[in-house]
Amino acid sequence: MLELLWLIPALPYAGFAVLAVAGGRLSRSVTASLGVIPVGLSAAVALLVGIEFIWFWPENTYAQLLWTWIAVGRFTPTIGFYLDALSLVMILVVTVIGFLILLYSVGFMMRSEGYSRFFAYMNLFVASMLTLVMADNLLLLYLGWEGVGLCSYLLIGFWYNDPANGRAAIKAFLVTRVGDASMAVGLFLIFVSLGTLQIQEIMQKAEIQWAIGSGIAIAASALLLGGALGKSAQLPLQTWLPDAMAGPTPVSALIHAATMVTAGVYLIARTHVLFTLAPPVLTAVAVIGAITLLIAGLSALTQHDIKRALAYSTMSQVGYMFLALGVGAWSAAIFHFVTHACFKALLFLAAGVVIQGLNEEHNMFKMGGLRRVIPGTFWAFIVGAASLSALPLVTAGFYSKDLILMEAWSSQAGNGWLWLAGLIGTLLTSVYAFRMVFLTFFGEAKTEFHKRADITMKIPLAILALLSIVAGFIETPQGLGNMTLFSDFMETALPALPTLPTGSLTVIAKIAVPIISLIGLYLAYLLFVRRPGWVRRATETPVGSLLHAYWLSGWGFDWLYSRLIVRPFVRMADWNRQDAIDLVYDAVAGICMVSSDALALTQTGKIRWYAAAITVGVLIFIAIVVLG
């Protein structure tokens, strides 16, 4: 089956091609089949490839060269795929979660315009992400990288009749382009220095040719980090993600769970050797992740729109992944990526049922009382919120987040401050997750519910709810079975996790996560069920009102960027309406025109004047020759 590796991205590419060419002439049932089946088949092939790779392939890697892409001197990038533990995990998540989201979309998008266009874009989105994670060289990876950027633009602005959606799509495209430009410069630097863009060759040559902490290693890693920050919506390039909720809910689920936002995490993990050669950059990864998870968690606490709250939640959880990467806990970061993909897709799809049933109502304060109306969706959302909050023992999120915090505490690159930031983030996560639960499903109903989910929407919810529970049991800490299947498997592609130390402080650190998550659940119940007046009175105070507005606006980053970047650029554009560079050429043209007019005055039509001019010219020429 390994020789069919190329088929995994080829199937969704084929689905995109067929729908792009003929989708408008097909019935909705045929369109839905062509939209879902290619990704489903891709997931099936991925599962078969994974089984053979894990159990029947003695080597730890598999490379498949399809053809040479470009051959110019020593620059010969290929169209080729590379399979190891890291790429296999990413492939399985992208295809399986992508398939479930597309199946859900069959019912969710049934009454929307652009049905075939939606499935064409979604297939291209999945195919581009698969190209990114399977590429054996950085140029092909960059092709997939730009592909997911294009698809995010197309899908965020899918309902383009509303100008706000178009602005959100443009914002996402432009903000992520900043990171993409940084990454492109990094690729040039790597190629000039190492003479190759083949990922495995880069890792080998860099270890030999670059010293730890050298300028070239720091520069290359920092430039790649810039690209990762843009795609994964981490500080300071995080502002596009909340506005990206303008797209259909399945798009939000795919962006947050399996494609766009996780691309930066994969990039750092895939090129981890470069980052280990640049300790300052690796430290920056951890610090940026810690700060992002805190500010995003506080913003999630204040949101009214359920999808924007989930968007800030994603920003925060990806911050945990960056924190893990920054302390060298590579496997822990990817483990949290896997569990996060399950419970975040579940939360978005469950939120989609609520939003559609309430006639596109997004405001949680206009919901309420839905646990009796849609009990299945209620329990699915409860499972997702519990896993997001890392409730102990029974949720996947607990095991992955606990592993990250233990590494932040005990690894050589970790420290108490990073651990404390992650612990505070756990408290915030538990509070805002169950704030969503209590505001949406408890209390009195404030809006009439109109439409229930059909079977194509219910099946993915049930499967994702199951995965949000059982996915964590492949990696359990000491004292809970000490299952290390995931990290043992990931060791073939990434360095092994260090052995956790023992001692009283470590024991305290280990029990802190479950205790804090339960405290957060109780606080959410107290503040939004038992004593909602406390929150209202707190936000009515001068300080509380200011903080609430500040966090609600995403800490004012849009305001800051508008005044520091956007408005000055617009003013320069207005001032330069005639294009200052063209003034130089306009001046040259003006001189030529004046000269032409002056010379035209000499054209009198009188022969004697022409003869006199010629005589004078000849005399001047003779004088120059004689005297010279």
Side-chain angles (χ1 to χ4, degrees):
M1 291 301 297
L2 288 178
E3 63 274 9
L4 296 180
L5 185 64
W6 63 273
L7 200 57
I8 297 174
L11 286 165
Y13 273 128
F16 161 73
V18 173
L19 289 170
V21 173
R25 297 186 291 272
L26 302 174
S27 67
R28 295 216 163 195
S29 59
V30 174
T31 297
S33 299
L34 290 174
V36 176
I37 290 175
V39 178
L41 292 176
S42 180
V45 174
L47 288 169
L48 293 174
V49 166
I51 291 171
E52 180 174 345
F53 182 80
I54 294 171
W55 277 286
F56 304 107
W57 188 253
E59 293 84 359
N60 295 325
T61 63
Y62 175 77
Q64 185 177 65
L65 175 62
L66 300 180
W67 64 82
T68 298
W69 185 4
I70 303 170
V72 181
R74 60 176 184 150
F75 182 61
T76 56
T78 61
I79 300 294
F81 299 131
Y82 181 80
L83 185 67
D84 64 357
L86 175 59
S87 57
L88 178 59
V89 168
M90 299 295 294
I91 290 167
L92 291 172
V93 170
V94 172
T95 55
V96 173
I97 301 298
F99 167 70
L100 293 174
I101 292 172
L102 281 165
L103 179 61
Y104 174 96
S105 302
V106 171
F108 186 88
M109 297 295 295
M110 182 60 71
R111 293 175 177 82
S112 296
E113 295 182 359
Y115 198 63
S116 62
R117 177 166 56 91
F118 172 83
F119 281 103
Y121 290 165
M122 292 286 274
N123 270 260
L124 182 60
F125 208 167
V126 172
S128 297
M129 188 65 185
L130 289 170
T131 301
L132 190 159
V133 302
M134 295 171 64
D136 69 350
N137 66 85
L138 289 178
L139 187 61
L140 185 58
L141 184 151
Y142 193 70
L143 177 67
W145 188 274
E146 291 301 318
V148 296
L150 169 64
C151 293
S152 68
Y153 167 77
L154 296 172
L155 287 164
I156 291 169
F158 181 78
W159 289 315
Y160 54 82
N161 289 327
D162 186 347
N165 296 342
R167 288 193 295 270
I170 292 172
K171 181 179 180 180
F173 193 78
L174 292 178
V175 173
T176 55
R177 290 292 76 70
V178 175
D180 294 356
S182 170
M183 181 179 173
V185 175
L187 299 191
F188 282 114
L189 181 62
I190 290 171
F191 179 76
V192 170
S193 176
L194 300 177
T196 182
L197 287 178
Q198 294 296 123
I199 296 174
Q200 300 310 310
E201 289 185 27
I202 289 171
M203 302 302 107
Q204 296 168 5
K205 289 185 175 182
E207 282 191 301
I208 297 172
Q209 299 181 25
W210 294 355
I212 295 178
S214 62
I216 187 69
I218 292 175
S221 300
L223 289 167
L224 293 182
L225 175 59
L229 295 178
K231 276 291 187 287
S232 291
Q234 298 292 286
L235 281 172
L237 300 177
Q238 83 287 3
T239 57
W240 66 271
L241 190 59
D243 291 346
M245 299 303 96
T249 300
V251 173
S252 303
L254 191 61
I255 288 175
H256 290 249
T259 55
M260 179 92 162
V261 177
T262 58
V265 176
Y266 172 77
L267 177 66
I268 296 176
R270 173 54 73 201
T271 59
H272 67 275
V273 172
L274 302 184
F275 285 85
T276 56
L277 295 173
V281 179
L282 203 57
T283 300
V285 173
V287 172
I288 289 171
I291 295 174
T292 304
L293 72 89
L294 290 175
I295 68 169
L298 289 169
S299 287
L301 276 174
T302 62
Q303 301 302 309
H304 297 171
D305 187 324
I306 189 171
K307 285 179 65 178
R308 287 181 70 90
L310 289 172
Y312 280 109
S313 167
T314 297
M315 197 186 300
S316 180
Q317 297 309 301
V318 174
Y320 276 101
M321 300 176 207
F322 270 66
L323 173 60
L325 293 169
V327 299
W330 318 105
S331 295
I334 302 303
F335 183 35
H336 195 55
F337 154 75
V338 173
T339 61
H340 176 264
C342 298
F343 63 70
K344 187 52 59 69
L346 174 63
L347 287 168
F348 266 111
L349 299 187
V353 174
V354 172
I355 291 168
Q356 193 172 73
L358 297 177
N359 281 338
E360 299 304 314
E361 180 59 67
H362 288 233
N363 191 336
M364 291 182 285
F365 289 93
K366 295 182 180 180
M367 298 177 183
L370 293 177
R371 72 183 189 277
R372 298 186 185 90
V373 180
I374 42 174
T377 303
F378 164 67
W379 284 110
F381 202 95
I382 283 282
V383 170
S387 193
L388 170 63
S389 304
L391 292 191
L393 303 181
V394 294
T395 65
F398 165 70
Y399 296 103
S400 58
K401 190 174 292 185
D402 179 72
L403 186 59
I404 289 175
L405 291 181
M406 285 310 305
E407 290 303 318
W409 172 272
S410 61
S411 68
Q412 186 175 1
N415 59 61
W417 291 109
L418 294 175
W419 173 83
L420 182 61
L423 193 65
I424 295 172
T426 300
L427 177 66
L428 294 174
T429 302
S430 191
V431 174
Y432 72 65
F434 280 94
R435 172 181 179 265
M436 290 188 288
V437 170
F438 295 135
L439 290 178
T440 303
F441 295 98
F442 285 75
E444 297 181 358
K446 302 176 183 66
T447 303
E448 184 180 355
F449 195 87
H450 295 277
K451 181 182 181 297
R452 297 181 181 275
D454 62 24
I455 190 65
T456 62
M457 298 168 70
K458 292 177 180 178
I459 291 174
L461 290 178
I463 296 173
L464 289 168
L466 178 64
L467 291 175
S468 296
I469 295 173
V470 303
F473 292 104
I474 58 176
E475 189 78 20
T476 59
Q478 295 178 2
L480 293 175
N482 195 29
M483 294 282 290
T484 59
L485 298 178
F486 189 84
S487 60
D488 289 346
F489 177 58
M490 292 301 294
E491 281 180 21
T492 61
L494 298 168
L497 293 172
T499 302
L500 299 179
T502 58
S504 57
L505 289 178
T506 299
V507 173
I508 293 173
K510 287 180 69 65
I511 65 173
V513 174
I515 292 174
I516 289 297
S517 63
L518 291 173
I519 290 174
L521 168 58
Y522 175 73
L523 284 175
Y525 172 74
L526 183 66
L527 295 175
F528 301 104
V529 177
R530 298 289 297 174
R531 298 288 187 270
W534 290 1
V535 176
R536 184 175 61 254
R537 287 192 293 271
T539 56
E540 290 173 352
T541 64
V543 175
S545 176
L546 179 64
L547 286 176
H548 184 274
Y550 193 48
W551 294 346
L552 182 64
S553 67
W555 293 71
F557 278 94
D558 283 322
W559 179 89
L560 180 65
Y561 292 162
S562 176
R563 281 152 181 79
L564 292 182
I565 300 172
V566 177
R567 291 187 182 182
F569 184 84
V570 171
R571 284 195 293 269
M572 288 176 60
D574 287 338
W575 171 78
N576 192 33
R577 191 178 297 274
Q578 301 301 322
D579 198 336
I581 296 177
D582 279 354
L583 293 177
V584 177
Y585 301 101
D586 291 342
V588 173
I591 293 171
C592 291
M593 291 177 66
V594 171
S595 301
S596 175
D597 292 340
L599 290 172
L601 295 175
T602 66
Q603 305 301 309
T604 63
K606 297 179 180 179
I607 296 177
R608 58 189 177 194
W609 283 103
Y610 296 162
I614 292 171
T615 302
V616 171
V618 170
L619 292 174
I620 291 173
F621 178 75
I622 293 172
I624 291 173
V625 172
V626 172
L627 297 177

